[in-house]
Amino acid sequence: MTAELVRGQNHPLSQVRLVIRISAGTPVLAGATLGDDNGTVHGPQWVAHPGAPALPGVEVPRQAAAEHRLAVDLDALPEAVHRVDVFLTLPAVAGGPHEFGAVAAPHTAVEGPDGTELACYTLTGLDTETAVLALELYRRQGAWKVRAMGQGYASGLGALLADQGLHDTADIMAAVHAAAAHDPSRAPAPPSIPSPHETPAHTPHDTSPTVSHDAPAFAPHDASAPAPYDIRRPKTRDTSASGPTPSYATQQGQPAASYDAQASGTTPRDPGARVDYTHPGRRPHGTPAPAAPGADDGPAPPVAGDAVGWSMEERLYNQVWGMFEDLARTTAAYRSAVDFADSRLEKELDQVLTDPRDRLGTTGDAAREAAHARRTQLVDQARAVLDRDLAQLTAESEVVEPALPPAYAGWDNPVWHAYRVPAEPPMALRLGDLHLPESVPLRIPLLVRLPLERGLWIDSGAAADFDGLPDSAELRRLAVEVAVALAARLLAVHPAGDFAVQIIDPAGAGATAFGPLTRTGALAAPPATGAAGVTALLEQLTRRVDLVQMAVRAGAPESLPADVDTARQLLIVNDFPHGFDDRAVTRLRYLADEGPDVGVHLLLVADRADAAAYGPLLDPLWRSLMRLTPLPDDHFADPWVGHAWTYEPPVVPPGSQIVQHVLGEVARAQAKRK
């Protein structure tokens, strides 16, 4: 199945030999750049263009054409290459279009060697750009993916290459102009993958000793242009400042087919006229179209569900995770720029100190002030880019949040006031919110797929770095309230009778906090208390896991005994390990390991320090559970870019009775079903 991408979305690649097909509706030039893990291009020999169309693993067409096919062999790429960026540029020919806004939206498709289409992307929303970064193939943790870019440049190909760290572009531009002078009407022959043994004279291998693995995400020449990460930008930027200034497409995900005036028999369009491919639903009600060609109507308003998917629920799920990735990328770019500015400041100060004549006096003071001023300028430029991206993401969040279904919505969302028991379970569940220190006002919903693949652990212990922390009893109460909120959400998003909640509370310490579940009758049975209650409930659930496993392995799930509840079960264990003997602990570990596959899920409310007496025996249990906290805590690690995300639990608004209302609806639906 083809993945139809929107700008910024990525998709895994299942094959290494690829053909990238481009349909532009007008003659364009196509090429590719090879970048390191920071996206930096380390010389003209890292660029495949019409004058040098073949590099190891990449071959591009030699002339302008309306249809292109680029060949890529990911296994043949040099080891130093982590990114392949495919770009398009308009040839500077008399009578031709001078901007992408005057032609049909280019369409790109990534195919396997057998012609199977893996992903496609239509570059909509372009305006005054004359060069555009269309697709990016990138390697992360040994796996290759494709990302839809749609990053345009009004200043042309030179600005695009400079944004990737390449300034010596004279030979490339000369080759591009020479290719534009050829007859563009003849489509190029399909390129072939160059053999890794047929390496041209200049390849990325030639410069591998000079590749800097510490290169920042912001190119040193322009700290305001974080090419590898910043893909959600306003459509235009001020080009009055020195240096290249890109202009970015803003529309996302509007499907558009390539348009060929000659093939359709219509009158060819004036190359200078602006073509508007904006979906009519993307313009606010009553807002007129731009009055004149080239008029800047600003960034398009965000739209809820602006992502791929078969249903609105799936599109919203993908959009939320797209927002997460965008926030991670733009924050990584900002932090990288700050690190680069700090390292450059340190080097400049070291240079001042190495010359004895500059250490003292006005000369040294002036040099130090200039170095600090340059550092401040770089950081301010990077912060301006970050603030711009945060503003766009915030605007998108303000549109997406009200459109979320109950499973994805916060407890303060009005959708809960019109809650009705669903007929089908959702594809994901919201466990809380995530944010970064640089984006404190912006929260990204933490969505996990259902059914849960791991158990949950609400950590009621004190965090070492928390100031003004509530006492132990208050923390335990807050942890139980989070557990109740999550249990209520799980009950609410499943059809009546498809999900059940059971509680182990050996000492009855959480009786008050469990009130919403017990008073509404949403529990399958009263909470189990005392050692005997703990043993009986664990034995019951262990038996259920064993029987379901045997039935599934035998291919006869309908042969389960009548007393086995086939509904998915959530077991809440409060105040662990109080009331647990060694046998009970072993059974709990068994449920944590084997339960999720057969519909038994664990939610543990515990302070790990209370179980210190068990030593390393319980380490596998803690590792198998997803740790959540009753208070905001930055324990969620992001291995992709190395961020530490702050988790915030799903808090019910103070004084709200929404959880009781929802649980009452669930209990009534369960009663009708019996």
Side-chain angles (χ1 to χ4, degrees), residues 538-586:
L538 289 177
E539 183 177 353
Q540 172 191 334
L541 292 176
T542 303
R543 174 175 176 268
R544 181 194 182 280
V545 170
D546 291 338
L547 290 175
V548 174
Q549 282 183 338
M550 288 188 292
V552 170
R553 290 169 184 167
E558 69 282 353
S559 62
L560 288 170
D563 62 336
V564 174
D565 187 359
T566 58
R568 289 190 171 273
Q569 306 283 324
L570 176 70
L571 174 61
I572 302 177
V573 179
N574 183 40
D575 211 13
F576 177 80
H578 181 79
F580 279 70
D581 55 19
D582 291 344
R583 183 176 179 82
V585 169
T586 301

Side-chain angles (χ1 to χ4, degrees), residues 581-619:
D581 55 19
D582 291 344
R583 183 176 179 82
V585 169
T586 301
R587 283 179 170 169
L588 189 69
R589 288 185 54 190
Y590 176 75
L591 292 177
D593 294 337
E594 304 294 334
D597 290 338
V598 290
V600 176
H601 309 281
L602 183 62
L603 198 164
L604 201 64
V605 180
D607 180 357
R608 188 169 181 175
D610 293 342
Y614 287 92
L617 177 65
L618 291 181
D619 286 350

Side-chain angles (χ1 to χ4, degrees), residues 299-554:
V303 178
D306 192 8
V308 296
W310 292 103
S311 64
M312 176 58 77
E313 180 187 22
E314 184 177 1
R315 291 197 295 271
L316 286 169
Y317 174 85
N318 291 331
Q319 185 173 12
V320 167
W321 277 112
M323 293 166 59
F324 174 87
E325 291 183 359
D326 289 341
L327 180 56
R329 277 195 294 269
T330 190
T331 305
Y334 169 72
R335 293 180 179 179
S336 181
V338 173
D339 290 343
F340 166 72
D342 290 339
S343 63
R344 194 174 79 166
L345 173 64
E346 184 178 352
K347 291 179 181 178
E348 291 179 351
L349 294 179
D350 287 344
Q351 290 175 358
V352 173
L353 294 176
T354 55
D355 191 345
R357 294 170 299 179
D358 295 338
R359 292 177 187 172
L360 302 175
T362 58
T363 303
D365 293 340
R368 282 187 285 270
E369 290 180 1
H372 282 284
R374 283 189 289 271
R375 189 264 179 194
T376 301
Q377 181 183 14
L378 286 176
V379 173
D380 289 345
Q381 289 175 341
R383 185 70 210 192
V385 173
L386 176 64
D387 289 341
R388 185 181 58 201
D389 293 342
L390 291 179
Q392 186 169 349
L393 284 170
T394 300
E396 186 174 6
S397 176
E398 291 173 352
V399 172
V400 170
E401 278 285 355
L404 294 177
Y408 301 175
W411 286 114
D412 56 349
N413 194 310
V415 70
W416 286 108
H417 295 281
Y419 168 76
R420 293 294 182 270
V421 177
E424 295 181 355
M427 65 178 295
L429 185 80
R430 184 173 187 161
L431 295 183
D433 295 329
L434 298 173
H435 69 83
L436 293 170
E438 294 86 352
S439 60
V440 172
L442 176 63
R443 265 65 172 171
I444 305 296
L446 172 59
L447 303 181
V448 296
R449 295 297 293 264
L450 292 180
L452 295 172
E453 296 180 356
R454 301 172 61 190
L456 305 176
W457 164 33
I458 313 297
D459 188 356
S460 59
D465 56 349
F466 237 110
D467 295 330
L469 195 70
D471 58 26
S472 177
E474 179 66 9
L475 273 177
R476 293 176 189 274
R477 183 189 65 81
L478 293 174
V480 175
E481 288 183 353
V482 172
V484 170
L486 291 175
R489 183 179 292 265
L490 281 164
L491 282 168
V493 302
H494 284 84
D498 283 11
F499 199 90
V501 174
Q502 307 210 49
I503 297 175
I504 290 179
D505 189 15
T512 302
F514 286 128
L517 291 170
T518 56
R519 288 194 300 267
T520 57
L523 291 180
T529 59
V534 171
T535 301
L537 185 52
L538 289 177
E539 183 177 353
Q540 172 191 334
L541 292 176
T542 303
R543 174 175 176 268
R544 181 194 182 280
V545 170
D546 291 338
L547 290 175
V548 174
Q549 282 183 338
M550 288 188 292
V552 170
R553 290 169 184 167

